[in-house]
Every structure is written in C-alpha cells, then in structure tokens.
Amino acid sequence: MTATAYPPRWAEALLRTLLKPGDFESVSGDLLEQYRDSIYPARGRRRADWWYARQVFAFVSPGARFFAALFSAQFLTRTALDWFVPPLDFHTRSTISTALGVGTLLAAGFWAAWRSDSFATGAVAGVVTAGLASVTSIAGAAGMLAIWHDPQAMAAIRGSGGLDEIFCLPFMMVFPGLLLGAGGGVACTALKRLLLMLNQT
Amino acid sequence: MAEILGAFEQAVLLAIFRLGEDAYGRAILKEVQARLEREVAAGAVHATLERLAKKGLVVSRLGPGTPVRSGRARRFYRVQAKGVRALNDSRATVDGLWQGLRWPLRGCV
C-alpha cells in the first residue's frame, strides 16, 4: 500500500515548475522516498499529503515570506496613514502605494526565477507572496481596528474606502500576484539570457 | 582567505563527509536532522547543496533509483578538497574564538 502511495499530483506538478529541469527527478525522488518510507506509514494519507505540500512550498517560501512582510508593511502603513493623516485627495497616495505593491510582487517573481532558473517559479512566488501578505495584512488591520475604533477613526476609515476595502483588497491581490510574479520571472529569464549572450561575445 | 561557512553549511558538508559513498539527498537530510535534532525542510538542504556546489566545495553525480522512489534517480554528493579546507578553517576559527575559555560558560558578564 505504502510503496504505491503517491503524493498529490498538483504538488508534484508545482514542484516541477519550481526546480531546474535537471533537479526534478532527484529531488522529487527524495521526497517520494521519505513520503512512502516514513511519513505516510506514520501519519496516514491526509497528513502525509499536507506534509508533502509544505515541503514543496518550502522551495519557494523563504523569499516569499520576506516579500510578503514587505507588502504587508506597505499596506498597513498606507492604512494607518489613511486613518490618522487623511489627505484631501487620495490620488497621489494611491499611485505611490500601488507602485510599491506592484514593485514588490515583480521583485518576488524576479528573485524566485533567478534562484530556480524557471520563470514559472516567479508566478508561483507572486501568488504565495500575495497570499501570505493578504493574511498578515488583514490580521494587522484587524489588530489596528481593535485598538482604534473611536468615532473619529471610524469616520476616517469610511472616508478612505471603508472596512470592505481593508478586508477585501489584500485578497484581491492574489490574481495580480500571479501575473506580476510571472512578469518578474519573464524579466529575470530575459536578463539571464542577455547576460549569457554578453558573456559569450 | 579562508572560506567562511555558516552553521547549516557545515552541518550539510559534515553529513556528506560522514555518509561517504551513500551521501544522496534524502540520506543527507536525515543525517542533518539527526545531528541538529530538529525538522529540516528538504528545500533548505537542496538550496544549501546548490550553494556549496556553486562554491566548488562539493560535486555531484546522478545514480540509480530504487523501487521506493519509483526508480527516480538519486543525486550523490562528494566533498571536494576545497570543501575539506573550508571545514578545517571553520573549525579552527571556532576553536580560536573559544581559546582560553572553559566550556560550558557559567554566570553572566
């Protein structure tokens, strides 16, 4: 039973996108061996699958955690500024915070693609970064709301887009995260090719 | 100048050294986990092995798979002379830092 057990197909497919082509067979073999040898017999199918998924995400998450923290810090700073120093016109502030968010997701994709030599990793890194950032941003905003909910703060929140924007906007970044991460990955691949061509000439 | 190795890099290099001919990904991971007495992600070991190979401290070759891995190849690692020097230098640096001090340290300064 255990010797024929297979981890989730989607996780193996994701792992393939995260690794250099020459590394997939040996790395996935190592994970499969551990999955069948020790994890599956000790933990059962569901927990073994969860373990496998976490192992796969570990190939992308160390950098994604850093970029997610950066993204959340930007989001919470913007939120705090809107609550406590509301401007007359949000346009300039929105332009700056959007540019910073886009730059962070592009950088996450670029970094992941640089590390793995695969532009697809950039897309995965973008999604993981945006996903992690949305959770921490919402938790941070909820914490801020628990501390500051006096009538003046609530009026400022309504004026800056309301609670819907605070609690929905971060989740809406996951799909753009996919596109921007892929964009960063493509830019990285192009730069690497250019550097290779320059080296050869 | 001596190669400065991080603690995790030393753990991985020493694991390869201990395992000898049997040093492939999963075995290295198990050895590192046993020595450090904690769970370590396969991705962390993989990234470290890649870094060590880029620095020229280890080399690898593909070997045959086994039925439990559905025949997927194993990547075997060997420590190079440069890797051995780096390990010796790292040990000498730590020994130098501790010279004249009695271990374990007691009290506070």
Side-chain angles (χ1 to χ4, degrees), chain A residues 100-123:
Chain A
L100 286 173
V102 166
T104 304
L105 292 171
L106 278 171
F110 188 96
W111 171 86
W114 187 273
R115 212 169 132 244
S116 67
D117 277 346
S118 153
F119 89 90
T121 317

Side-chain angles (χ1 to χ4, degrees), chain A residues 51-72:
Chain A
W51 170 87
Y52 193 93
R54 279 190 295 123
Q55 295 296 315
V56 171
F57 277 110
F59 279 85
V60 76
S61 68
R65 277 199 291 266
F66 167 76
F67 287 109
L70 199 63
F71 192 98
S72 296

Side-chain angles (χ1 to χ4, degrees), chain B residues 104-109:
Chain B
L105 296 175
R106 290 188 197 287
C108 48
V109 179

Side-chain angles (χ1 to χ4, degrees), chain B residues 6-106:
Chain B
F8 197 72
E9 287 179 325
Q10 287 183 53
V12 172
L13 269 178
L14 287 168
I16 299 172
F17 212 85
R18 282 202 174 90
L19 290 163
E21 294 290 304
D22 300 322
Y24 74 99
R26 162 101 202 277
I28 296 167
L29 174 69
K30 266 172 93 174
E31 180 69 23
V32 170
Q33 284 179 332
R35 295 284 165 180
L36 296 180
E37 295 179 354
R38 66 177 166 93
E39 277 270 320
V40 174
V45 171
H46 175 73
T48 305
L49 286 166
E50 250 190 7
R51 198 164 55 246
L52 294 173
K54 264 191 188 154
K55 289 182 183 176
L57 307 185
V58 299
V59 287
S60 69
R61 67 173 172 84
L62 283 178
T66 54
V68 76
R69 4 181 347 121
S70 290
R72 295 178 192 179
R74 287 180 290 179
R75 187 172 288 281
F76 289 89
Y77 290 86
R78 259 187 27 227
V79 182
Q80 294 292 89
K82 196 177 167 189
V84 175
R85 270 201 304 279
L87 278 172
N88 285 330
D89 288 345
S90 301
R91 174 66 194 253
T93 303
V94 173
D95 284 350
L97 289 172
W98 280 89
Q99 214 163 29
L101 295 170
R102 188 187 290 222
W103 186 86
L105 296 175
R106 290 188 197 287

Side-chain angles (χ1 to χ4, degrees), chain A residues 4-5 11 22 29 34 37 46 56 58 83 89 98 116-117 130-131 139 145-146 151 155 160 164 168 198:
Chain A
T4 54
Q34 192 171 0
D37 245 11
R46 266 181 54 195
V56 171
W83 289 9
D89 174 16
T98 302
S116 67
D117 277 346
L145 193 62
S160 68
D164 286 355
C168 294
L198 289 174

